[in-house]
Amino acid sequence: MVTAFSVFINGISGVFTGIAVLYLMMKLLAIVADRSTADSTPSAPKPTTR
């Protein structure tokens, strides 16, 4: 019974740890993506064709 309970607790904590790591990685990627787009020069507007 103790083993089943510890497996359950480890599973639940693993799920929450995974969600937290994914959240932090998404925030880090958003910061890095914003930084890389801010450093690049804006491209020239495309001419419109009629």
Side-chain angles (χ1 to χ4, degrees):
M1 186 67 184
V2 174
T3 304
F5 184 71
S6 65
V7 168
F8 176 75
I9 295 299
N10 286 334
I12 294 295
S13 64
V15 166
F16 283 116
T17 302
I19 291 171
V21 168
L22 282 174
Y23 177 78
L24 292 174
M25 287 299 141
M26 289 173 63
K27 289 294 181 183
L28 181 66
L29 283 173
I31 291 169
V32 169
D34 287 343
R35 190 174 299 162
S36 66
T37 56
D39 291 341
S40 64
T41 58
S43 59
K46 295 179 180 178
T48 58
T49 57
R50 293 182 185 210

